Structure formats: structure tokens, C-alpha cells
């Protein structure tokens, strides 16, 4: 059985970070270990969020795992809340990142703005972790903060290709931008492979609503598909299709959640798409 470890927070309500990464990757048939970085009552789009930091547990958890000789096929980091947690993620990569795929989803911003609690200094520090990854998967906003360039709502293919090249200069092998859209009604992912100097893109029909947590579902699916032996390109396609399906299933329900998607009832679609 393939194994992965993911390091991110647990937002008790909100359908993001660990509460999607764990079920999605488990459903894909991957034994998924977790490093919970913090416990929040909800994700940070709600007001009055409670927050309990778990940073002090991270190094002892990894020390124990080293004594046990655990090995993983993938290491995937998501939402990290402090400089110290970025350092812990680097240690995770150093100690458990040999012979496995290392994915960094630099969760910190969307729609042109940093999430509550994040700063430009944090974005700057995140570039170092990105440099240690095989694959990074920011959205357009996160890419602009990583590169310290102004966020553009409208852009063309040339601009996206330039951003991708600059992202791989941080040191990762591949960068994939999510939520890329050149024309209304179409959205997808655009990737660059530094080693082969090749681009890849994939688009689907854009659903009518936007939700939180879809980036986490995208990255979890990418990770799961890669661990299960899909090519990078196919893994990107499956991730795009599954996120689209999650949104589609969500908005069909009257009075549906606004804070997260119905990824649960779209799991059969994911497994069909995976050929599982
Ligand atoms: O989906 C990213 C995410 C993860 N974790 C927490 C968040 C967010 C986005 O806002 O607030 C706590």
C-alpha cells in the first residue's frame, strides 16, 4: 500500500486542509499520515475563529517517526501558519523527502489578497520551502505574492508562462498554477517543467460559483494521483475534473453550503476518473 504524509491545519468546520486531504487521499487508496499544525474552529473566512497552535508537537512527532523508520511515497504541505512551521516543513522534507514526491501548496492568498494573518514576510519565507519542493501549486494570487509582483486579474498566456518560469527559479522542478482562466467559462491549470522546458495546460468548463477549500482538494488529488502512478499531466487533469465535479454536485443542492464543496458525494466520480 502506498503511503503519504500531509502537513496542514485541521479546521473543524469548513471543508479545507486536513478535513479534505485525509478523506480524499484515503478514498484514493493511499495510507495517509498527518501532521496537524493547528486546530481551528473553522477556516479563517469565518469571524471569531478559535485557534490552537500545535507547532510544539511537530518535531517530537517527526523524531518518533524517525525512530520507527517510517517511509512515505509523498510528502505534501498545505496551509502553514508561522515561520516556525515553515522550518518544520523543511525538516519534514529533509528527513522524509528522500525518494518521494514533495508537493508544496503555498496556501496563503486568493482573489488578490493574503488570507487573514499572513504577511509579505511570510510569503517571502514561503519561497524557500517552494524551492525544496518537486512540485508547487499556487493560485495566481499566491504566485504574485511569491514573486512579489502585482496581482493581475486579467492576463494572457505569455504572462502565465513567464510567471511559471519565475516560480521554478525558486528551485522547484515543476510549478503548476491553478484557477487559470483566459476566457469566461473556462478554468484550469497551467504547468511548467523546468527540467524538460515544457509547458502543459488543461481547462474545464467553469462552474458558476466559487468555494473555499477547492485548492486543497486540487492539491490532495494531484498528490493521490501521482502516488498511484499517474503521470503529472494526467494527475493535473484528474484534479481539475474532480474539483469541477465537486462544485457541480454542491450547487445542485438547494440551500447548499457556502463555505466548502460537497467533495464527499463526488468521490465515486474521482474513483471512476482514476480507473479504481
Ligand atoms: O483552504 C486553505 C485554508 C486552509 N486552512 C485554513 C484556512 C484556509 C483558507 O482560508 O483559513 C485555516
Amino acid at each position: 500500500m502506498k503511503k503519504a504524509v500531509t502537513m496542514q491545519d485541521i479546521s473543524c468546520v469548513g471543508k479545507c486542509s486536513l478535513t479534505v486531504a485525509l478523506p480524499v487521499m484515503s478514498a484514493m487508496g493511499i495510507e495517509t499520515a498527518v501532521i496537524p499544525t493547528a486546530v481551528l474552529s473553522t477556516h479563517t473566512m469565518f469571524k471569531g475563529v478559535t485557534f490552537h497552535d500545535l507547532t510544539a508537537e511537530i518535531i517530537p512527532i517527526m523524531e518518533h517517526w524517525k525512530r520507527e523508520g517510517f517511509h512515505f511515497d509523498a510528502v505534501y504541505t498545505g496551509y502553514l501558519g508561522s515561520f516556525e512551521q515553515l522550518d518544520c516543513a523543511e525538516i519534514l522534507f529533509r528527513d522524509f523527502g528522500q525518494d518521494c514526491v514533495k508537493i508544496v501548496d503555498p496556501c496563503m492568498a486568493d482573489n488578490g489578497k493574503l488570507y487573514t494573518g499572513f504577511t509579505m514576510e511570510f510569503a517571502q519565507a514561503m519561497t524557500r520551502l517552494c524551492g525544496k519542493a518537486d512540485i508547487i501549486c499556487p493560485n495566481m494570487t499566491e504566485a504574485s505574492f511569491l514573486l512579489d509582483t502585482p496581482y493581475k486579474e486579467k492576463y494572457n498566456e505569455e504572462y502565465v508562462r513567464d510567471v511559471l518560469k519565475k516560480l521554478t527559479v525558486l528551485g522547484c522542478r515543476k510549478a503548476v498554477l491553478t484557477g487559470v482562466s483566459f476566457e469566461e467559462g473556462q478554468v484550469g491549470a497551467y504547468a511548467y517543467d523546468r527540467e524538460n522546458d515544457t509547458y502543459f495546460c488543461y481547462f474545464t468548463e467553469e462552474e458558476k460559483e466559487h468555494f473555499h477549500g477547492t485548492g486543497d482538494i486540487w492539491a490532495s488529488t494531484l498528490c493521490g494521483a501521482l502516488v498511484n502512478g499517474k503521470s503529472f499531466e494526467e494527475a493535473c487533469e484528474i484534479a481539475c475534473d474532480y474539483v469541477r465535479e465537486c462544485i457541480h454536485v454542491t450547487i445542485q443542492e438547494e440551500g447548499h453550503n457556502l463555505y466548502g464543496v460537497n467533495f464527499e458525494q463526488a468521490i465515486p466520480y474521482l474513483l471512476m476518473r482514476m480507473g479504481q
Side-chain angles (χ1 to χ4, degrees):
M1 193 174 186
K2 298 282 189 183
K3 297 183 174 73
V5 55
T6 183
M7 174 177 174
Q8 43 192 318
D9 72 280
I10 182 152
S11 293
C12 300
V13 169
K15 304 216 244 185
C16 66
S17 45
L18 279 188
T19 65
V20 302
L22 186 52
V24 166
M25 288 163 54
S26 298
M28 294 171 96
I30 296 154
E31 180 179 333
T32 307
V34 299
I35 299 185
T37 54
V39 181
L40 294 85
S41 50
T42 62
H43 61 52
T44 58
M45 293 297 146
F46 287 90
K47 290 219 160 57
V49 179
T50 73
F51 176 88
H52 180 76
D53 184 76
L54 296 173
T55 306
E57 292 299 312
I58 300 172
I59 300 291
I61 288 170
M62 291 193 287
E63 289 299 324
H64 181 204
W65 289 1
K66 275 201 281 184
R67 291 195 299 277
E68 295 290 340
F70 293 152
H71 166 83
F72 303 101
D73 301 291
V75 182
Y76 150 42
T77 67
Y79 182 101
L80 302 172
S82 65
F83 294 96
E84 212 179 334
Q85 287 180 3
L86 288 174
D87 293 340
C88 292
E90 279 197 34
I91 294 169
L92 176 70
F93 280 4
R94 185 195 67 196
D95 292 351
F96 295 94
Q98 310 301 325
D99 311 316
C100 83
V101 61
K102 298 183 284 293
I103 301 172
V104 170
D105 183 4
C107 298
M108 57 186 170
D110 206 358
N111 301 312
K113 289 201 200 92
L114 287 166
Y115 294 144
T116 307
F118 289 100
T119 60
M120 270 312 297
E121 290 70 36
F122 182 86
Q124 191 53 42
M126 178 62 93
T127 60
R128 217 175 80 177
L129 183 63
C130 288
K132 304 255 154 76
D134 295 310
I135 303 169
I136 65 169
C137 51
N139 59 37
M140 289 299 288
T141 304
E142 287 155 349
S144 73
F145 281 105
L146 289 171
L147 299 175
D148 197 10
T149 52
Y151 171 71
K152 277 192 178 194
E153 213 153 284
K154 291 238 179 308
Y155 44 78
N156 58 21
E157 196 159 355
E158 191 189 347
Y159 177 79
V160 165
R161 285 181 171 227
D162 182 55
V163 165
L164 283 164
K165 260 201 179 160
K166 286 180 175 147
L167 286 170
T168 58
V169 172
L170 299 176
C172 50
R173 289 159 193 244
K174 295 185 178 85
V176 49
L177 283 164
T178 59
V180 174
S181 179
F182 297 122
E183 54 175 306
E184 222 179 283
Q186 293 281 306
V187 68
Y190 212 118
Y192 176 64
D193 180 327
R194 177 169 55 90
E195 282 162 345
N196 301 326
D197 191 28
T198 51
Y199 291 95
F200 166 77
C201 61
Y202 183 73
F203 293 90
T204 67
E205 206 176 299
E206 184 170 17
E207 295 289 340
K208 301 267 178 286
E209 291 183 45
H210 287 238
F211 291 88
H212 236 65
T214 49
D216 300 342
I217 294 170
W218 198 94
S220 304
T221 308
L222 176 84
C223 183
L226 289 172
V227 168
N228 277 335
K230 300 292 183 196
S231 70
F232 172 71
E233 290 77 10
E234 209 179 345
C236 288
E237 291 174 7
I238 294 168
C240 290
D241 288 342
Y242 179 47
V243 166
R244 189 209 44 75
E245 180 70 11
C246 288
I247 300 174
H248 187 74
V249 169
T250 305
I251 62 182
Q252 278 183 325
E253 187 183 344
E254 213 179 299
H256 61 73
N257 275 338
L258 299 176
Y259 57 75
V261 291
N262 184 350
F263 73 91
E264 298 93 333
Q265 290 176 330
I267 281 176
Y269 172 88
L270 171 62
L271 299 189
M272 181 273 291
R273 207 51 196 75
M274 285 289 296
Q276 283 181 309

